[in-house]
Amino acid sequence: MKNLQTSEITFAQNDTASLLAPIFTHVSNTKGERDKDIVHYNYNGADITFRMFEKLDAIEQSVLLAIVGLSAKQGLLLPPEPKQGSISEKLLSRLDKGTDELSPFSNHPRVIKTSYYAILKASGMGRSKQSKERLIKALRRLSQVNYEIETDRYITSENMISLVVDKDEEMLYIGISSILSYALENQYTYIDLVERKQLGSRAGVAHLLHARLSASVNVGRTHSFNAERMALMLNGFVSRKKVDGEWSEVYDDIDSLKLKNLKRFVVSAFRKIGELEGWVVSEKGKGKNHVFKVSRLDISNS
């Protein structure tokens, strides 16, 4: 029997709203703490507000997908009703709102016990000291993300993950929120982690684009995407605001040279994804009318 901590994690069933809402964007290399960020999104009739103590980029997204992928592996979940005073119980107490009837999700938060190595491997990161340091920073940033969901009747608030790190044993106890737990068994986006690794270990923009396209284009379907709009979206220059009860997109001002450079990376990412098996990508037009048509084929029976 394979060791569940080290066996290959090939996919993640992730919450769709957190992939479509631009909470993961390309962040330029900066020393120290990143800027804070607030993202508003509307999904399935609910208004969702994500509050981030620091901006999240493709590394945080890779780590979150690794956590979600590992949590689906039988044997990694801690008991759903942990012993009083245990690490698992403390983690769940930070996540669980304690009012089940108010939650729009039927699943309780869950906790996994895993290792540095398992997360690094599943996320496509190396095993170096630098990789471990990046992992801990990413986990801290994810643990500081709060989301608030407002429906016609309820407002619920929850942290994305809770975290305990055993630095001596290099083990992790990670509590994942009910929205992520719900997605494992209900409405989710299937992210192929093997494809993600094929795009390269430092392909930040390509990883962000792959996740967004996975959430936007179902197998057997075709959608078109404007290259400039996607470049602005993936780099955090598009936000949503509610005006007179209706959500509308707001675009930040950006000079033409910077937009051209951002678009260049996005165009390259679209083309890379088009080389993956099961993806068909074509393009037409130039400038503001540069559009990519993306199709996904069903290769499960091929």
Side-chain angles (χ1 to χ4, degrees):
M1 180 178 176
K2 288 185 177 181
N3 184 340
L4 290 172
Q5 293 286 340
T6 58
S7 60
E8 189 73 16
I9 305 299
T10 59
F11 66 92
Q13 296 168 203
N14 200 75
D15 164 57
T16 301
S18 62
L19 295 172
L20 291 175
I23 63 173
F24 297 100
T25 58
H26 180 66
V27 179
S28 301
N29 291 329
T30 55
K31 292 183 178 180
E33 290 186 354
R34 300 172 182 171
D35 292 338
K36 296 181 180 180
D37 200 9
I38 297 179
V39 172
H40 300 283
Y41 198 70
N42 180 270
Y43 186 73
N44 278 356
D47 292 341
I48 308 175
T49 300
F50 297 89
R51 293 182 175 86
M52 288 151 283
F53 190 77
E54 291 187 72
K55 286 189 173 183
L56 308 177
D57 68 4
I59 292 178
E60 281 75 53
Q61 188 181 68
S62 292
V63 170
L64 181 63
L65 292 175
I67 292 169
V68 172
L70 285 165
S71 68
K73 276 283 188 181
Q74 187 177 2
L76 291 185
L77 290 175
L78 294 181
E81 295 183 1
K83 294 180 180 179
Q84 188 173 2
S86 67
I87 291 177
S88 180
E89 191 270 339
K90 291 177 181 177
L91 284 171
L92 288 176
S93 68
R94 298 179 195 173
L95 288 167
D96 199 347
K97 295 171 287 300
T99 52
D100 298 336
E101 70 278 6
L102 299 185
S103 175
F105 310 106
S106 59
N107 299 56
H108 290 285
R110 57 180 72 190
V111 178
I112 62 169
K113 177 184 178 182
T114 188
S115 65
Y116 284 23
Y117 173 61
I119 297 288
L120 289 170
K121 182 178 180 181
S123 61
M125 300 166 68
R127 298 185 65 180
S128 65
K129 180 180 178 182
Q130 187 179 25
S131 293
K132 292 177 183 177
E133 290 173 351
R134 285 202 302 267
L135 171 63
I136 297 304
K137 284 184 180 179
L139 288 167
R140 281 176 168 159
R141 289 179 180 128
L142 289 169
S143 70
Q144 294 167 341
V145 176
N146 173 268
Y147 56 83
E148 181 182 282
I149 304 171
E150 182 173 358
T151 63
D152 290 338
R153 183 175 178 182
Y154 297 121
I155 298 175
T156 60
S157 180
E158 203 169 355
N159 280 2
M160 185 167 281
I161 68 168
S162 285
L163 177 70
V164 171
V165 179
D166 185 332
K167 293 188 288 185
D168 290 341
E169 298 293 332
E170 295 193 345
M171 295 297 294
L172 301 165
Y173 299 82
I174 303 170
I176 64 174
S177 63
S178 61
I179 191 172
L180 296 175
S181 181
Y182 177 85
L184 288 170
E185 300 173 10
N186 297 276
Q187 190 174 20
Y188 60 83
T189 290
Y190 181 99
I191 303 292
D192 190 320
L193 300 183
V194 176
E195 289 181 348
R196 196 175 171 93
K197 290 178 183 178
Q198 290 172 354
L199 294 171
S201 59
R202 293 186 175 273
V205 172
H207 288 162
L208 293 170
L209 180 61
H210 178 264
R212 176 164 285 274
L213 295 181
S214 296
S216 303
V217 186
N218 293 326
V219 172
R221 298 295 183 90
T222 300
H223 286 281
S224 295
F225 301 90
N226 181 277
E228 284 196 3
R229 180 181 180 277
M230 186 62 76
L232 292 169
M233 180 74 71
L234 295 183
N235 285 277
F237 291 102
V238 181
S239 58
R240 287 191 175 193
K241 290 187 178 180
K242 210 169 191 178
V243 180
D244 297 328
E246 297 293 331
W247 286 100
S248 60
E249 288 189 343
V250 178
Y251 293 81
D252 295 347
D253 291 332
I254 180 173
D255 65 73
S256 58
L257 180 59
K258 186 172 184 178
L259 177 57
K260 184 178 180 180
N261 288 331
L262 297 178
K263 181 183 170 184
R264 179 166 53 88
F265 287 107
V266 169
V267 167
S268 175
F270 268 114
R271 292 170 180 169
K272 272 187 177 181
I273 292 171
E275 296 172 0
L276 297 173
E277 185 180 11
W279 292 83
V280 178
V281 177
S282 61
E283 59 185 291
K284 65 178 182 179
K286 293 181 179 180
K288 293 183 180 296
N289 298 317
H290 195 172
V291 173
F292 283 85
K293 182 181 288 186
V294 180
S295 303
R296 296 181 69 185
L297 307 178
D298 185 358
I299 60 173
S300 58
N301 296 319
S302 60

